Amino acid sequence: MTIENEKVVNQNGKDNNNVSVQELEERFRVISPARMVAKRFFKSKLSIVGLVMIVFVFLFSFIGPLIIDATWGYGEIEVFRISRNAAMITTADFRAPDGKVYNYYDKSQTTILFKAPLSSDHWLGTDTSGFDIFTRLMYGGRISLMISFIVIFLETFIGVILGGLAGYFGKWVDQLVMRIVDIFACLPGLPILLVLSAAISSIESIPAEHRIYYLMAFITLMGWTGVARIVRGQILMLREQEYMLAAETTGIKAIKRIFKHLVPNAMPQLIVSATLGLGGVILYESTLSYLGLGVPFPRAAWGSMIALADPSKGQEILANYPNMWIPAGILIVVTVLGFSFIGDGLRDAFDPRMKR
Amino acid sequence: MWKYLLRRIALSLLILLGVSALIYLLVMLMPADYIDNQTSAALQNGSMTMEDVMRLKELYGLADKSFTGIAKSYIAWLKSTASGDLGFSFMYGRPVTDVLSDYIWISFIIAFLSYIFQIIIGIPMGVKAASNQYSGYDYTVSVFAMMGTALPSFFLSALLMNVFSIQLGIFPLQGLVTATRIFPSDAYIQVFLDKAWHLVLPITVLTTLNVGGTMKFTRTNMLEVLSSDYIRTARAKGLSEQVVTYKHAFRNTLIPLVTSLSGMLPGLFGGAMITETVFAIPGIGYMALRATRGGDIPFIMGYNMFLAILTVLGMLISDIMYMVVDPRVKLS
């Protein structure tokens, strides 16, 4: 957003009985547009709630691992073998050949090393592989937030360039770019992402830890069209204005006219759509991780933590170990919700006439 | 108007052509294809040689992975698709069109019922929230609506399963029919009730996820209408708030609502991949996820093209509805 020079609210001195400029400045506060946006943003309770949620998730996922690492010295893939005895009792009735009903009673003791319950050492216990769940939540958040920010940045970058060119040059450039946008917008998002990630996971020459980068590229590929549409629409509207005529007559180059004079004016819309988009990317990423096509094991991801509760793999965890999957789900909801609260707040703040 | 429609349809066909080429390229570039998946075990224990595998690939049309090879097979695919034949599914061993038409209906029923619920819950809530802007009701409904859209479907499904299937034992966990029950052949009503009972949770999931969007959309448009001049006139005449909201304002809110809701209709046939898979309901989304994992190229192509067609159709319908609902609109 371009920040204009500070201006005095209420420029008309006459109505105020010829007060001097000094007195005027004392009486009226001088506010820059950026401050006005900030003020309107903080006026809404929901945006503050959203901000608190996001700050919490950020601290949790970026500062948390550092603290764990510094104090206890372990990370997301440290295996803890905590043995505990579990008694398994099975009973069954059966009718013996003599006609009486006998009660079959069997008690066996087994030692379980993994799936430790909540304790002061492991706040949320350990999971099926003996990893500390609380720590993995932090690392999972780190990966989700990183992916979402990088993807949104790339989407905005591609969208601004292509949308800017299409909007400014019009004619065949516009036709070409917008047809490409149409094609990409018609691609079914999740199925295609599944095809692509399945392809990447089956190529052996790609190391598992590089899979995330491909993943980011794919999610970007599916999502840049929205940004391009916004930028194009905005520029189509703006390029007819007088200041662009002035820019043209002063002989400024086309590239500079687009990216220095037109795109900054589309910034409010871009910021809002980017903030709202962050949550969407997190949902995509966690869905892929849930299906085992995202962040590869043994690295932590919120989606793959919830996948432990998948009833197709047995009901045990779904029924008896809510500590393994519910916290990850809550964190996803908190993050996505936080981003949408902030996005909505920003939209209202940038343009108070726009309805929520 | 007809000219506009014809141009739109021509453009849609062009887009679909581009989409199909792109999807075909992506799918063919999947390195481990169906044959590799099926034969890797046999190759390892020596019961099949590399030559056998290559012959199989030739048979399935997967051998030539060069650019010209893909282009050739794409053109062949395009020709057969134009005549309504989507090829033979590797995994399900039947024509793709048959599989699609068999499994589509259960997906449609789930999606359609949740669509109805979305409308009868979302619209009244949106209207009420808009007419009491910034009230406690407005905030509560808005926050709940956004929470619904922020929930991942698999997490909500797991939560509902935990509470209603495992803890309370009201609803079955997975599947479409109770596997342990044997119904007599004429017990249509019982079979129907059994199926309906299995569908309660999936429909709840889809409704919860989508009702927020409808509610917010209604609210936004209702607010816009409520701030227009004719509403002020209606209030100045002394009409009751009830009449102003439901008779004057709501009718104009219906324009964008009908447009967007009718645009959603084709999408109801697309299936809900994740929800259907979590609940193990044999709908089109469940089948497609399995096929995608197995590398069943004809099915993946058929399903994705089907989804793209539904998207294009949805946009077309909402354009036409816009014109039908609002006589002021002249498309050109």
Side-chain angles (χ1 to χ4, degrees):
Chain A
M1 165 135 202
T2 47
I3 295 178
E4 296 154 29
N5 290 333
E6 295 190 342
K7 60 181 176 196
V8 179
V9 186
N10 187 348
Q11 319 87 321
N12 199 344
K14 270 182 194 164
D15 295 345
N16 299 306
N17 304 327
N18 295 330
V19 281
S20 69
V21 177
Q22 254 182 345
E23 261 180 279
L24 248 182
E25 278 183 4
E26 274 166 27
R27 208 180 292 173
F28 298 100
R29 275 208 296 152
V30 178
I31 300 178
S32 72
R35 285 249 338 248
M36 275 167 73
V37 168
K39 212 178 136 197
R40 277 201 295 265
F41 178 77
F42 285 110
K43 231 162 98 182
S44 149
K45 279 177 211 129
L46 275 190
S47 17
I48 296 176
V49 172
L51 206 61
V52 169
M53 283 155 97
I54 293 303
V55 167
F56 162 74
V57 175
F58 257 88
L59 291 178
F60 180 74
S61 348
F62 285 93
I63 309 292
L66 299 180
I67 296 175
I68 298 269
D69 196 40
T71 5
W72 293 283
Y74 61 80
E76 56 181 324
I77 49 168
E78 185 87 12
V79 177
F80 296 95
R81 286 168 208 282
I82 301 159
S83 57
R84 70 192 158 97
N85 283 325
M88 203 164 78
I89 298 164
T90 32
T91 59
D93 290 333
F94 70 98
R95 189 177 290 273
D98 58 1
K100 288 179 188 163
V101 175
Y102 289 88
N103 186 252
Y104 172 84
Y105 183 83
D106 180 80
K107 187 177 178 186
S108 62
Q109 288 278 343
T110 43
T111 311
I112 304 176
L113 291 175
F114 303 138
K115 299 192 264 191
L118 319 189
S119 65
S120 57
D121 285 341
H122 303 286
W123 289 0
L124 288 173
T126 60
D127 67 5
T128 43
S129 314
F131 302 137
D132 181 68
I133 294 169
F134 194 68
T135 316
R136 279 175 83 74
L137 284 176
M138 294 174 176
Y139 282 89
R142 204 156 78 165
I143 225 75
S144 279
L145 289 174
M146 247 161 57
I147 289 180
S148 65
F149 271 89
I150 292 173
V151 165
I152 289 295
F153 176 79
L154 290 175
E155 276 179 7
T156 313
F157 186 75
I158 298 175
V160 163
I161 289 184
L162 288 179
L165 292 177
Y168 186 79
F169 289 111
K171 294 193 189 90
W172 68 270
V173 184
D174 188 32
Q175 282 295 321
L176 182 72
V177 173
M178 289 327 281
R179 289 303 83 79
I180 297 175
V181 165
D182 282 341
I183 288 174
F184 273 89
C186 268
L187 280 183
L190 188 62
I192 292 295
L193 273 179
L194 290 179
V195 168
L196 290 170
S197 354
I200 287 306
S201 356
S202 63
I203 300 179
E204 271 140 27
S205 58
I206 296 173
E209 59 265 29
H210 287 182
R211 242 191 260 164
I212 311 173
Y213 304 119
Y214 289 91
L215 208 72
M216 290 189 226
F218 297 150
I219 304 180
T220 308
L221 206 65
M222 306 304 302
W224 62 273
T225 53
V227 184
R229 279 199 175 132
I230 292 174
V231 174
R232 172 182 173 268
Q234 206 58 21
I235 283 180
L236 277 181
M237 196 184 74
L238 289 168
R239 71 166 185 192
E240 305 301 332
Q241 297 198 350
E242 282 85 359
Y243 83 97
M244 280 320 292
L245 193 68
E248 207 166 336
T249 40
T250 44
I252 300 171
K253 265 188 258 160
I255 293 291
K256 214 173 167 189
R257 280 205 301 268
I258 299 173
F259 294 108
K260 197 141 185 253
H261 294 270
L262 284 173
V263 171
N265 278 307
M267 229 31 178
Q269 274 87 347
L270 276 180
I271 293 174
V272 170
S273 88
T275 320
L276 292 173
L278 285 166
V281 176
I282 288 185
L283 284 180
Y284 258 144
E285 181 270 331
S286 53
T287 306
L288 288 177
S289 297
Y290 177 81
L291 295 171
L293 295 168
V295 183
F297 188 82
R299 295 188 71 182
W302 288 341
S304 50
M305 294 176 82
I306 301 177
L308 290 175
D310 184 359
S312 316
K313 298 170 193 157
Q315 297 176 28
E316 192 202 359
I317 291 168
L318 177 67
N320 304 330
Y321 295 95
N323 59 316
M324 281 189 205
W325 53 277
I326 289 187
I330 291 175
L331 277 173
I332 294 179
V333 174
V334 165
T335 317
V336 177
L337 207 55
F339 282 132
S340 37
F341 283 164
I342 294 180
D344 275 3
L346 280 175
R347 181 169 47 199
D348 292 349
F350 275 127
D351 188 357
R353 281 163 307 157
M354 251 196 270
K355 294 285 159 26
R356 293 207 306 151
Chain B
M1 180 193 136
W2 291 111
K3 223 172 140 189
Y4 169 81
L5 270 185
L6 276 178
R7 218 179 56 227
R8 271 300 301 269
I9 291 170
L11 192 65
S12 307
L13 287 178
L14 200 72
I15 292 170
L16 285 177
L17 195 71
V19 171
S20 70
L22 202 62
I23 300 177
Y24 201 80
L25 192 69
L26 293 177
V27 172
M28 284 304 270
L29 288 177
M30 274 173 95
D33 47 47
Y34 181 72
I35 306 299
D36 288 330
N37 287 341
Q38 295 295 305
T39 55
S40 61
L43 258 180
Q44 234 142 46
N45 64 28
S47 61
M48 265 176 113
T49 62
M50 208 54 216
E51 270 170 36
D52 296 333
V53 174
M54 281 321 285
R55 216 168 30 242
L56 261 178
K57 281 193 176 183
E58 200 80 57
L59 214 62
Y60 275 87
L62 299 171
D64 194 356
K65 286 277 176 104
S66 68
F67 187 73
T68 47
I70 293 179
K72 252 185 234 159
S73 64
Y74 171 66
I75 289 169
W77 178 86
L78 208 59
K79 268 185 196 153
S80 72
T81 304
S83 63
D85 175 18
L86 283 171
F88 220 74
S89 160
F90 297 164
M91 256 173 102
Y92 305 122
R94 298 164 53 198
V96 174
T97 41
D98 283 10
V99 181
L100 281 177
S101 58
D102 270 9
Y103 289 94
I104 231 169
W105 294 104
I106 188 71
S107 291
F108 176 73
I109 289 169
I110 297 176
F112 184 72
L113 286 176
S114 95
Y115 174 79
I116 299 287
F117 283 123
Q118 207 177 310
I119 291 173
I120 57 179
I121 299 171
I123 293 179
M125 281 202 323
V127 170
K128 205 174 165 204
S131 44
N132 304 303
Q133 201 187 4
Y134 301 128
S135 67
Y137 181 84
D138 183 23
Y139 272 113
T140 325
V141 168
S142 296
V143 168
F144 271 103
M146 279 159 112
M147 227 185 258
T149 45
L151 273 168
S153 51
F154 48 88
F155 179 57
L156 181 62
S157 312
L159 279 180
L160 291 178
M161 280 172 161
N162 182 297
V163 175
F164 292 102
S165 307
I166 294 171
Q167 313 285 354
L168 300 176
I170 304 175
F171 295 110
L173 193 64
Q174 281 187 312
L176 184 59
V177 282
T178 314
T180 50
R181 265 174 82 180
I182 296 161
F183 295 100
S185 58
D186 58 339
Y188 296 115
I189 297 168
Q190 276 163 298
V191 173
F192 173 78
L193 284 178
D194 188 53
K195 284 188 178 175
W197 205 237
H198 279 79
L199 291 183
V200 172
L201 286 186
I203 291 173
T204 314
V205 169
L206 288 186
T207 309
T208 316
L209 295 182
N210 296 327
V211 77
T214 312
M215 181 259 144
K216 248 189 129 183
F217 190 76
T218 312
R219 183 180 173 276
T220 313
N221 287 296
M222 191 74 187
L223 281 178
E224 198 150 313
V225 174
L226 278 174
S227 67
S228 50
D229 290 340
Y230 82 95
I231 294 295
R232 196 178 332 135
T233 311
R235 284 196 181 124
K237 283 198 308 189
L239 292 179
S240 74
E241 199 55 34
Q242 199 75 10
V243 175
V244 171
T245 311
Y246 292 98
K247 201 165 166 214
H248 292 239
F250 183 62
R251 294 190 116 191
N252 263 331
T253 315
L254 275 174
I255 295 172
L257 265 179
V258 169
T259 313
S260 87
L261 286 175
S262 58
M264 280 184 210
L265 278 173
L268 300 180
F269 288 95
M273 256 186 168
I274 305 294
T275 312
E276 282 172 20
T277 305
V278 175
F279 286 101
I281 288 177
I284 197 68
Y286 176 73
M287 299 304 270
L289 186 63
R290 269 183 64 198
T292 307
R293 287 200 157 151
D296 182 350
I297 290 177
F299 193 83
I300 302 174
M301 271 313 289
Y303 178 66
N304 281 307
M305 274 320 286
F306 177 63
L307 288 188
I309 291 171
L310 292 182
T311 313
V312 168
L313 217 58
M315 291 194 290
L316 210 61
I317 289 181
S318 66
D319 262 18
I320 296 171
M321 282 315 280
Y322 192 41
M323 208 160 32
V324 173
V325 181
D326 191 347
R328 290 169 301 181
V329 176
K330 287 268 186 303
L331 295 175
S332 57

PDB file of all heavy atoms in Angstrom, chain A residues 172-186:
ATOM      1  N   TRP A 172      -4.155  -9.830 -27.121  1.00  0.00           N
ATOM      2  CA  TRP A 172      -3.820 -11.260 -27.198  1.00  0.00           C
ATOM      3  C   TRP A 172      -3.086 -11.740 -25.948  1.00  0.00           C
ATOM      4  O   TRP A 172      -3.220 -12.898 -25.568  1.00  0.00           O
ATOM      5  CB  TRP A 172      -3.029 -11.569 -28.473  1.00  0.00           C
ATOM      6  CG  TRP A 172      -1.646 -10.979 -28.497  1.00  0.00           C
ATOM      7  CD1 TRP A 172      -1.299  -9.753 -28.982  1.00  0.00           C
ATOM      8  CD2 TRP A 172      -0.456 -11.576 -27.994  1.00  0.00           C
ATOM      9  NE1 TRP A 172       0.031  -9.550 -28.800  1.00  0.00           N
ATOM     10  CE2 TRP A 172       0.593 -10.665 -28.210  1.00  0.00           C
ATOM     11  CE3 TRP A 172      -0.163 -12.805 -27.395  1.00  0.00           C
ATOM     12  CZ2 TRP A 172       1.902 -10.917 -27.826  1.00  0.00           C
ATOM     13  CZ3 TRP A 172       1.142 -13.063 -27.024  1.00  0.00           C
ATOM     14  CH2 TRP A 172       2.163 -12.133 -27.244  1.00  0.00           C
ATOM     15  N   VAL A 173      -2.316 -10.856 -25.317  1.00  0.00           N
ATOM     16  CA  VAL A 173      -1.624 -11.280 -24.092  1.00  0.00           C
ATOM     17  C   VAL A 173      -2.669 -11.678 -23.055  1.00  0.00           C
ATOM     18  O   VAL A 173      -2.582 -12.732 -22.421  1.00  0.00           O
ATOM     19  CB  VAL A 173      -0.742 -10.139 -23.539  1.00  0.00           C
ATOM     20  CG1 VAL A 173       0.037 -10.619 -22.322  1.00  0.00           C
ATOM     21  CG2 VAL A 173       0.186  -9.614 -24.599  1.00  0.00           C
ATOM     22  N   ASP A 174      -3.660 -10.812 -22.912  1.00  0.00           N
ATOM     23  CA  ASP A 174      -4.742 -11.060 -21.966  1.00  0.00           C
ATOM     24  C   ASP A 174      -5.452 -12.367 -22.303  1.00  0.00           C
ATOM     25  O   ASP A 174      -5.679 -13.219 -21.445  1.00  0.00           O
ATOM     26  CB  ASP A 174      -5.719  -9.885 -22.015  1.00  0.00           C
ATOM     27  CG  ASP A 174      -6.763  -9.982 -20.923  1.00  0.00           C
ATOM     28  OD1 ASP A 174      -6.423 -10.505 -19.850  1.00  0.00           O
ATOM     29  OD2 ASP A 174      -7.894  -9.547 -21.147  1.00  0.00           O
ATOM     30  N   GLN A 175      -5.804 -12.509 -23.591  1.00  0.00           N
ATOM     31  CA  GLN A 175      -6.495 -13.723 -24.038  1.00  0.00           C
ATOM     32  C   GLN A 175      -5.698 -14.967 -23.668  1.00  0.00           C
ATOM     33  O   GLN A 175      -6.230 -15.905 -23.081  1.00  0.00           O
ATOM     34  CB  GLN A 175      -6.690 -13.672 -25.571  1.00  0.00           C
ATOM     35  CG  GLN A 175      -7.825 -12.781 -26.012  1.00  0.00           C
ATOM     36  CD  GLN A 175      -9.161 -13.309 -25.533  1.00  0.00           C
ATOM     37  OE1 GLN A 175      -9.382 -14.513 -25.536  1.00  0.00           O
ATOM     38  NE2 GLN A 175     -10.048 -12.436 -25.105  1.00  0.00           N
ATOM     39  N   LEU A 176      -4.397 -14.937 -23.998  1.00  0.00           N
ATOM     40  CA  LEU A 176      -3.547 -16.099 -23.754  1.00  0.00           C
ATOM     41  C   LEU A 176      -3.478 -16.421 -22.264  1.00  0.00           C
ATOM     42  O   LEU A 176      -3.758 -17.541 -21.839  1.00  0.00           O
ATOM     43  CB  LEU A 176      -2.150 -15.819 -24.305  1.00  0.00           C
ATOM     44  CG  LEU A 176      -1.154 -16.965 -24.168  1.00  0.00           C
ATOM     45  CD1 LEU A 176      -1.515 -18.079 -25.132  1.00  0.00           C
ATOM     46  CD2 LEU A 176       0.268 -16.493 -24.405  1.00  0.00           C
ATOM     47  N   VAL A 177      -3.129 -15.396 -21.473  1.00  0.00           N
ATOM     48  CA  VAL A 177      -2.959 -15.637 -20.035  1.00  0.00           C
ATOM     49  C   VAL A 177      -4.268 -16.097 -19.407  1.00  0.00           C
ATOM     50  O   VAL A 177      -4.295 -17.053 -18.623  1.00  0.00           O
ATOM     51  CB  VAL A 177      -2.429 -14.364 -19.333  1.00  0.00           C
ATOM     52  CG1 VAL A 177      -2.412 -14.573 -17.830  1.00  0.00           C
ATOM     53  CG2 VAL A 177      -1.052 -14.021 -19.827  1.00  0.00           C
ATOM     54  N   MET A 178      -5.371 -15.450 -19.781  1.00  0.00           N
ATOM     55  CA  MET A 178      -6.633 -15.799 -19.131  1.00  0.00           C
ATOM     56  C   MET A 178      -7.117 -17.190 -19.536  1.00  0.00           C
ATOM     57  O   MET A 178      -7.752 -17.877 -18.751  1.00  0.00           O
ATOM     58  CB  MET A 178      -7.725 -14.764 -19.424  1.00  0.00           C
ATOM     59  CG  MET A 178      -7.515 -13.449 -18.727  1.00  0.00           C
ATOM     60  SD  MET A 178      -6.714 -13.571 -17.120  1.00  0.00           S
ATOM     61  CE  MET A 178      -8.071 -14.066 -16.089  1.00  0.00           C
ATOM     62  N   ARG A 179      -6.777 -17.628 -20.761  1.00  0.00           N
ATOM     63  CA  ARG A 179      -7.159 -19.003 -21.126  1.00  0.00           C
ATOM     64  C   ARG A 179      -6.353 -20.003 -20.301  1.00  0.00           C
ATOM     65  O   ARG A 179      -6.862 -21.009 -19.847  1.00  0.00           O
ATOM     66  CB  ARG A 179      -6.937 -19.250 -22.620  1.00  0.00           C
ATOM     67  CG  ARG A 179      -7.902 -18.529 -23.561  1.00  0.00           C
ATOM     68  CD  ARG A 179      -9.366 -18.845 -23.297  1.00  0.00           C
ATOM     69  NE  ARG A 179      -9.972 -18.062 -22.241  1.00  0.00           N
ATOM     70  CZ  ARG A 179     -10.400 -16.819 -22.364  1.00  0.00           C
ATOM     71  NH1 ARG A 179     -10.309 -16.204 -23.524  1.00  0.00           N
ATOM     72  NH2 ARG A 179     -10.928 -16.182 -21.335  1.00  0.00           N
ATOM     73  N   ILE A 180      -5.056 -19.684 -20.082  1.00  0.00           N
ATOM     74  CA  ILE A 180      -4.250 -20.569 -19.228  1.00  0.00           C
ATOM     75  C   ILE A 180      -4.842 -20.598 -17.821  1.00  0.00           C
ATOM     76  O   ILE A 180      -4.975 -21.655 -17.203  1.00  0.00           O
ATOM     77  CB  ILE A 180      -2.781 -20.102 -19.200  1.00  0.00           C
ATOM     78  CG1 ILE A 180      -2.185 -20.192 -20.600  1.00  0.00           C
ATOM     79  CG2 ILE A 180      -1.970 -20.946 -18.234  1.00  0.00           C
ATOM     80  CD1 ILE A 180      -0.798 -19.650 -20.712  1.00  0.00           C
ATOM     81  N   VAL A 181      -5.227 -19.409 -17.350  1.00  0.00           N
ATOM     82  CA  VAL A 181      -5.849 -19.334 -16.017  1.00  0.00           C
ATOM     83  C   VAL A 181      -7.111 -20.192 -15.983  1.00  0.00           C
ATOM     84  O   VAL A 181      -7.327 -20.965 -15.049  1.00  0.00           O
ATOM     85  CB  VAL A 181      -6.183 -17.862 -15.666  1.00  0.00           C
ATOM     86  CG1 VAL A 181      -7.134 -17.797 -14.483  1.00  0.00           C
ATOM     87  CG2 VAL A 181      -4.912 -17.105 -15.340  1.00  0.00           C
ATOM     88  N   ASP A 182      -7.930 -20.090 -17.036  1.00  0.00           N
ATOM     89  CA  ASP A 182      -9.169 -20.880 -17.096  1.00  0.00           C
ATOM     90  C   ASP A 182      -8.868 -22.367 -16.996  1.00  0.00           C
ATOM     91  O   ASP A 182      -9.531 -23.102 -16.269  1.00  0.00           O
ATOM     92  CB  ASP A 182      -9.914 -20.614 -18.413  1.00  0.00           C
ATOM     93  CG  ASP A 182     -10.655 -19.291 -18.371  1.00  0.00           C
ATOM     94  OD1 ASP A 182     -10.870 -18.800 -17.251  1.00  0.00           O
ATOM     95  OD2 ASP A 182     -10.988 -18.761 -19.432  1.00  0.00           O
ATOM     96  N   ILE A 183      -7.854 -22.796 -17.759  1.00  0.00           N
ATOM     97  CA  ILE A 183      -7.524 -24.223 -17.779  1.00  0.00           C
ATOM     98  C   ILE A 183      -7.093 -24.673 -16.387  1.00  0.00           C
ATOM     99  O   ILE A 183      -7.575 -25.679 -15.866  1.00  0.00           O
ATOM    100  CB  ILE A 183      -6.429 -24.503 -18.824  1.00  0.00           C
ATOM    101  CG1 ILE A 183      -7.007 -24.368 -20.219  1.00  0.00           C
ATOM    102  CG2 ILE A 183      -5.846 -25.896 -18.623  1.00  0.00           C
ATOM    103  CD1 ILE A 183      -6.009 -24.490 -21.321  1.00  0.00           C
ATOM    104  N   PHE A 184      -6.213 -23.898 -15.768  1.00  0.00           N
ATOM    105  CA  PHE A 184      -5.731 -24.305 -14.446  1.00  0.00           C
ATOM    106  C   PHE A 184      -6.844 -24.248 -13.406  1.00  0.00           C
ATOM    107  O   PHE A 184      -6.878 -25.049 -12.481  1.00  0.00           O
ATOM    108  CB  PHE A 184      -4.541 -23.440 -14.017  1.00  0.00           C
ATOM    109  CG  PHE A 184      -3.238 -23.981 -14.502  1.00  0.00           C
ATOM    110  CD1 PHE A 184      -2.735 -23.612 -15.725  1.00  0.00           C
ATOM    111  CD2 PHE A 184      -2.537 -24.893 -13.736  1.00  0.00           C
ATOM    112  CE1 PHE A 184      -1.552 -24.137 -16.189  1.00  0.00           C
ATOM    113  CE2 PHE A 184      -1.346 -25.424 -14.190  1.00  0.00           C
ATOM    114  CZ  PHE A 184      -0.850 -25.037 -15.420  1.00  0.00           C
ATOM    115  N   ALA A 185      -7.762 -23.281 -13.565  1.00  0.00           N
ATOM    116  CA  ALA A 185      -8.850 -23.161 -12.599  1.00  0.00           C
ATOM    117  C   ALA A 185      -9.816 -24.333 -12.725  1.00  0.00           C
ATOM    118  O   ALA A 185     -10.523 -24.660 -11.788  1.00  0.00           O
ATOM    119  CB  ALA A 185      -9.579 -21.843 -12.785  1.00  0.00           C
ATOM    120  N   CYS A 186      -9.853 -24.964 -13.919  1.00  0.00           N
ATOM    121  CA  CYS A 186     -10.769 -26.086 -14.119  1.00  0.00           C
ATOM    122  C   CYS A 186     -10.169 -27.404 -13.672  1.00  0.00           C
ATOM    123  O   CYS A 186     -10.876 -28.395 -13.593  1.00  0.00           O
ATOM    124  CB  CYS A 186     -11.164 -26.198 -15.585  1.00  0.00           C
ATOM    125  SG  CYS A 186     -12.644 -25.303 -15.940  1.00  0.00           S
TER     126      CYS A 186
END
